[in-house]
Amino acid sequence: GAVVSQHPSRVICKSGTSVKIECRSLDFQATTMFWYRQFPKQSLMLMATSNEGSKATYEQGVEKDKFLINHASLTLSTLTVTSAHPEDSSFYICSASASKGQVRRGYTFGSGTRLTVV
Amino acid sequence: AQKITQTQPGMFVQEKEAVTLDCTYDTSDPSYGLFWYKQPSSGEMIFLIYQGSYDQQNATEGRYSLNFQKARKSANLVISASQLGDSAMYFCAMRETGYGGSQGNLIFGKGTKLSVKP
């Protein structure tokens, strides 16, 4: 089945540094990638939506200059947390969507990245 | 606006018994999709079952079945013969309408933590 590989699974970084999270679709072309953020014991909140070759669409309240998303190819999307601060510590997870013709199981999630900023 | 409501923060079930996790939704779109995902403590999102708004029959996937009551806008998940490994967070989600050939993002409920007792 469809697989999305997300790396790293865990990362600890110092405050003020940047962290890049990669999501790679291994056996299908991800036309759309969704990036979610999940705080402990809470639900997944959509941060942004990216389509290959175009700029990402950010949800209200999400700083586009802080959370840089690049979807340069149909198999790779990256989220870079720039100048990270402790309040950015969270679980980040990507979800890839293929074509509309694969509606029923069209969402494949990465395994998530647990970011801790110290 | 589309919305998913899960009113049970936590549920307990005895091993081998069945359990129902509640989910209600709100949308004005005639075409929508409903999903259930399982999230163990590791964080990955595991797809369980999908129900399309025009599906005539309730969806079933092994021990999982979806009690879809369109008029009531409910999509409860039924897990039969609970196993210890079923202990996890369970999220109900609805697909937003996408644009062009892509699928829209998922809107998640707050989740229900299921604990299976031996």
Side-chain angles (χ1 to χ4, degrees), chain A residues 21-104:
Chain A
I21 301 169
E22 283 191 359
C23 276
R24 198 177 292 270
S25 58
L26 298 185
D27 49 3
F28 70 103
Q29 294 183 327
T31 53
T32 304
M33 192 74 77
F34 304 103
W35 286 93
Y36 294 89
R37 181 174 182 175
Q38 185 181 30
F39 289 109
K41 298 185 179 180
Q42 293 190 23
S43 187
L44 281 73
M45 298 299 296
L46 181 68
M47 298 175 65
T49 302
S50 70
N51 292 297
E52 183 265 338
S54 62
K55 288 186 178 180
T57 303
Y58 290 81
E59 294 300 299
Q60 194 172 11
V62 178
E63 300 174 59
K64 61 178 70 175
D65 294 331
K66 181 169 189 60
F67 298 99
L68 300 179
I69 290 173
N70 185 285
H71 195 160
S73 77
L74 283 170
T75 58
L76 177 64
S77 179
T78 60
L79 166 67
T80 301
V81 183
T82 62
S83 186
H85 290 285
E87 58 265 29
D88 299 325
S89 299
S90 188
F91 187 69
Y92 295 87
I93 190 164
C94 63
S95 172
S97 168
S99 67
K100 201 170 185 180
Q102 298 179 27
V103 165
R104 302 191 80 83

